[in-house]
Amino acid sequence: MSNVLVLGHKNPDTDSICSAISYAYLKNEMGMVAEPIRLGEVNNETIFALETFKFDHPRLVTQVSKEASQVILVDHNERQQSAEDINEVQVIEVVDHHRIANFETTDPLYFRAEPVGCTTTIILKLFKENGIEVPPNIAGLMLSAIISDSLLFKSPTCTKQDVDAAAELAEIAGVDAQSYGLDLLKAGADLSNKTLEDLISLDSKEFEAGDRRFEVAQVNAIDVEEVMIRQKELEVLMANTIAAKDLDLFVFAVTDILNNNSVAIVLGERSGIIESAFKSSVVDNRVLLPGVVSRKKQIVPVITEALS
Amino acid sequence: MSNVLVLGHKNPDTDSICSAISYAYLKNEMGMVAEPIRLGEVNNETIFALETFKFDHPRLVTQVSKEASQVILVDHNERQQSAEDINEVQVIEVVDHHRIANFETTDPLYFRAEPVGCTTTIILKLFKENGIEVPPNIAGLMLSAIISDSLLFKSPTCTKQDVDAAAELAEIAGVDAQSYGLDLLKAGADLSNKTLEDLISLDSKEFEAGDRRFEVAQVNAIDVEEVMIRQKELEVLMANTIAAKDLDLFVFAVTDILNNNSVAIVLGERSGIIESAFKSSVVDNRVLLPGVVSRKKQIVPVITEALS
């Protein structure tokens, strides 16, 4: 029970996995016994990063309180995105780059959130502030997270700090950010081995706005129509999720990583807000979102505002 | 409407005022137009610090939304401790050392909380991280905040980081931390010009635990009995506050700054929890709390736990 578990959010993306590994490494170097874990399956993009830089998958732990009394959250802070039994352990640190919500402690803690594109951009600062060197393979993972979260620096969430951190990490890792980055994104956009259930659940997050609950799932694709051709089947699965989780709205966004647009399927009792919120016509439950690639910056705040 | 307001909590203490001034100075040096403000009267201890280092009182602003669209919170994050109209402005940054609760944003922000004894210990790091020098008079204010929050390094909230920061700031300010510190605390413990209403309201904070609401007021004193001799009158005022704010519990702690103990008056429907929570007898609504000097670390978590 003495290890501190370091965990990213449910349905982990590359940032959640790579932040957990790199921050646990930093904490271990600083004398804490910390272990990176994951709350769910590792996606294709993350597998590509882990294989490139020769890391095993972090251990899957679904009940953190059976393993530890203290945890560190990376890449998330909202309770509903964390381990199911997060209330039964003490959160001693948070390193994140998202909005803050549904987070409460009884004691002071280390909470470091910054409005940058990727958690590992902040973790790089923490390496420096603590005088610890970033090893090349850890640098590769941290770079992968920035490329993933910023869609190779094209997302509006990407800041100068992310670009600078990526350049520094690419040099330490000894890779070319552009060519490695494109390979990484393509690995993530390979949907060939995905079921329809995977598409709407693997990178999906729940949010609350006032009394309303909504979920936004996102997949990256090279050929958006390859996904949208199965819209009717996807809608059946989405409707099941809405019923099971009592959601007011479910948005499933397919993001074209080469052209930086998204197409979304929107379902739920409150889907009527989408048209005016995004100023785009909803036809047959489908809406085109030109220039929208970021769930965090371009989708969630717009829906939160419209539902509140 | 273009200034960013930097504010500490209601009923400002020395840390809230000095953090607002020093962080606004840092942000101005970094190119932001930021102004420190205060939400209430400045206490005797803070007046002593401001006079020693030759600062004016920050401007009193009670309705922040009339003055600005963006604010930075220092030394607090809980909504009920902030400006009344805090929901009408955007919080762009938080620098704090308290627990996190009742705080939510729609967008990512810079949120820096660390489990140290004083906000200005964190602000000193931010000066360094941004390569800005701390001027001597600002260093004096930052030192005053650390001395105040740590009761001259004797509070259990005081960390090695606070002690080290204070030593560094004392050198920049050109003062002796011990002798200046004792003068500062004595100025704060001078209750001669305080009304009974002042005592229970000037350094008072509201908290929530589950559905329960409680308030903890604290005064520092050199002679605790000088305050407690007026217990019956204080209880009348406390009962009025309980009724007006619909509190479940009101704790008024008088802290002996020379001997590092507190005596508290406890009132309210839920005052029955105090005896077992603090393992100390309550006689005539009065309880002795040996070794208790920190509201944040030794009073609030204990009550929160007992009420939850």
Side-chain angles (χ1 to χ4, degrees):
Chain A
M1 291 287 287
S2 67
N3 282 21
V4 173
L5 301 182
V6 183
L7 55 135
H9 52 73
K10 279 181 199 163
N11 307 315
D13 59 5
T14 300
D15 189 18
S16 263
I17 297 291
C18 296
S19 288
I21 295 173
S22 56
Y23 198 54
Y25 173 86
L26 172 60
K27 297 306 285 188
N28 284 324
E29 288 294 301
M30 292 169 67
M32 182 186 277
V33 182
E35 182 195 0
I37 61 152
R38 61 185 165 94
L39 297 180
E41 288 310 307
V42 172
N43 68 35
N44 286 344
E45 183 191 84
T46 311
I47 289 172
F48 183 86
L50 292 172
E51 285 180 355
T52 302
F53 297 104
K54 306 203 184 335
F55 281 89
D56 291 331
H57 294 198
R59 196 159 58 91
L60 178 69
V61 176
T62 51
Q63 299 259 291
V64 293
S65 64
K66 289 188 179 162
E67 307 254 344
S69 55
Q70 297 187 317
V71 300
I72 293 174
L73 308 185
V74 292
D75 195 31
H76 73 298
N77 67 82
E78 300 192 43
R79 219 157 268 286
Q80 75 279 10
Q81 296 169 4
S82 198
E84 298 290 355
D85 59 343
I86 191 69
N87 289 333
E88 293 167 43
V89 294
Q90 186 192 8
V91 178
I92 57 169
E93 293 191 27
V94 176
V95 182
D96 191 16
H97 67 129
H98 294 87
R99 71 166 193 164
I100 294 165
N102 302 312
F103 184 82
E104 185 159 322
T105 59
T106 51
D107 289 296
L109 77 163
Y110 187 91
F111 194 111
R112 179 82 169 252
E114 301 194 20
V116 292
C118 180
T119 309
T120 63
T121 299
I122 307 166
I123 293 175
L124 178 59
K125 292 187 192 188
L126 296 173
F127 268 91
K128 291 178 183 178
E129 289 170 20
N130 290 290
I132 308 284
E133 225 168 283
V134 186
N137 59 345
I138 293 279
L141 290 190
M142 290 168 70
L143 170 67
S144 304
I146 297 175
I147 289 165
S148 168
D149 270 11
S150 71
L151 274 185
L152 203 41
F153 317 122
K154 284 184 192 145
S155 166
T157 59
C158 186
T159 68
K160 183 172 180 303
Q161 292 187 51
D162 299 296
V163 174
D164 292 347
E168 195 173 333
L169 292 164
E171 192 169 328
I172 299 171
V175 298
D176 178 79
Q178 285 295 332
S179 67
Y180 169 71
L182 203 57
D183 290 345
L184 179 73
L185 292 186
K186 280 184 180 162
D190 175 9
L191 304 175
S192 58
N193 68 344
K194 295 279 171 273
T195 64
L196 292 178
E197 285 83 355
D198 287 344
L199 294 184
I200 64 154
S201 66
L202 283 183
D203 183 12
S204 194
K205 289 187 186 177
E206 270 179 72
F207 301 91
E208 290 172 13
D211 295 339
R212 304 295 181 173
R213 301 176 67 226
F214 65 100
E215 182 160 331
V216 183
Q218 186 175 25
V219 292
N220 290 344
I222 296 188
D223 180 358
V224 171
E225 271 314 305
E226 191 190 333
V227 179
M228 295 308 282
I229 204 165
R230 306 187 67 180
Q231 178 173 352
K232 287 298 157 215
E233 294 161 85
L234 285 163
E235 285 186 8
V236 172
L237 297 174
M238 288 170 68
N240 291 345
T241 304
I242 289 170
K245 295 185 177 176
D246 196 21
L247 300 172
D248 296 290
L249 175 65
F250 192 159
V251 174
F252 171 61
V254 184
T255 299
D256 180 335
I257 60 164
L258 298 181
N259 298 302
N260 304 306
N261 292 316
S262 295
V263 174
I265 304 174
V266 296
L267 278 190
E269 207 172 276
R270 300 286 293 164
S271 60
I273 62 151
I274 294 295
E275 199 149 294
S276 64
F278 289 94
K279 298 179 185 59
S280 187
S281 308
V282 175
V283 179
D284 191 22
N285 300 329
R286 186 194 286 213
V287 61
L288 177 66
L289 304 172
V292 170
V293 297
S294 166
R295 172 170 49 198
K296 183 167 70 168
K297 202 143 181 166
Q298 297 173 297
I299 299 178
V300 173
V302 175
I303 294 177
T304 302
E305 174 78 23
L307 286 179
S308 296
Chain B
M1 291 288 287
S2 66
N3 282 22
V4 173
L5 301 181
V6 183
L7 54 135
H9 53 73
K10 280 181 198 163
N11 307 314
D13 58 6
T14 300
D15 189 18
S16 263
I17 297 290
C18 295
S19 288
I21 295 173
S22 55
Y23 197 54
Y25 173 86
L26 172 60
K27 298 306 287 188
N28 284 323
E29 288 294 302
M30 292 169 67
M32 182 186 278
V33 183
E35 182 195 359
I37 61 153
R38 61 186 166 92
L39 297 179
E41 288 310 307
V42 172
N43 69 35
N44 286 343
E45 183 191 86
T46 311
I47 289 171
F48 183 84
L50 293 172
E51 285 179 355
T52 301
F53 297 104
K54 306 206 185 331
F55 281 90
D56 291 331
H57 295 198
R59 197 160 57 92
L60 177 70
V61 175
T62 50
Q63 299 259 294
V64 292
S65 64
K66 289 189 178 163
E67 308 253 345
S69 55
Q70 297 188 316
V71 301
I72 293 174
L73 308 186
V74 291
D75 195 30
H76 73 299
N77 67 82
E78 299 192 45
R79 221 156 266 286
Q80 76 279 9
Q81 295 169 4
S82 199
E84 298 291 355
D85 58 344
I86 192 68
N87 289 334
E88 292 167 42
V89 294
Q90 186 192 7
V91 178
I92 56 169
E93 293 191 27
V94 176
V95 182
D96 192 16
H97 67 129
H98 294 88
R99 72 165 191 164
I100 294 166
N102 302 311
F103 184 82
E104 187 159 322
T105 59
T106 50
D107 290 296
L109 77 165
Y110 187 92
F111 194 111
R112 179 82 169 251
E114 301 193 20
V116 292
C118 180
T119 309
T120 62
T121 299
I122 308 166
I123 292 175
L124 177 60
K125 293 188 192 187
L126 296 173
F127 268 91
K128 291 178 183 177
E129 288 170 20
N130 290 288
I132 307 285
E133 224 169 283
V134 186
N137 59 344
I138 292 279
L141 289 190
M142 290 168 70
L143 170 67
S144 303
I146 297 175
I147 291 165
S148 168
D149 269 12
S150 72
L151 274 185
L152 201 44
F153 317 124
K154 285 182 192 146
S155 167
T157 58
C158 186
T159 68
K160 183 172 180 303
Q161 292 187 50
D162 299 295
V163 174
D164 292 347
E168 195 173 332
L169 291 164
E171 192 169 328
I172 299 171
V175 299
D176 177 81
Q178 285 296 330
S179 68
Y180 169 70
L182 204 56
D183 290 345
L184 178 73
L185 292 185
K186 280 183 180 164
D190 176 9
L191 304 175
S192 59
N193 69 343
K194 294 279 172 274
T195 65
L196 293 178
E197 285 84 355
D198 288 343
L199 294 183
I200 64 154
S201 66
L202 283 182
D203 184 12
S204 194
K205 290 187 186 177
E206 270 180 72
F207 301 91
E208 291 173 12
D211 294 338
R212 305 295 181 173
R213 301 176 67 225
F214 66 99
E215 182 160 331
V216 183
Q218 186 175 27
V219 293
N220 290 343
I222 295 184
D223 180 358
V224 170
E225 270 315 304
E226 192 190 332
V227 178
M228 294 309 282
I229 204 166
R230 306 188 66 179
Q231 179 174 349
K232 287 298 156 216
E233 294 160 86
L234 285 163
E235 285 186 7
V236 172
L237 296 175
M238 288 170 69
N240 292 344
T241 303
I242 289 170
K245 296 187 178 175
D246 196 24
L247 300 172
D248 296 290
L249 174 64
F250 191 159
V251 174
F252 171 62
V254 185
T255 299
D256 180 334
I257 59 164
L258 298 181
N259 298 302
N260 303 307
N261 292 316
S262 294
V263 174
I265 304 174
V266 297
L267 279 189
E269 209 172 90
R270 302 285 295 165
S271 59
I273 62 149
I274 294 294
E275 199 150 293
S276 65
F278 289 94
K279 299 178 183 61
S280 186
S281 309
V282 176
V283 179
D284 191 22
N285 300 328
R286 188 195 287 212
V287 61
L288 177 65
L289 305 172
V292 170
V293 297
S294 166
R295 171 168 51 198
K296 183 168 70 170
K297 201 142 183 166
Q298 298 173 298
I299 299 178
V300 173
V302 175
I303 294 176
T304 302
E305 175 78 23
L307 286 180
S308 293

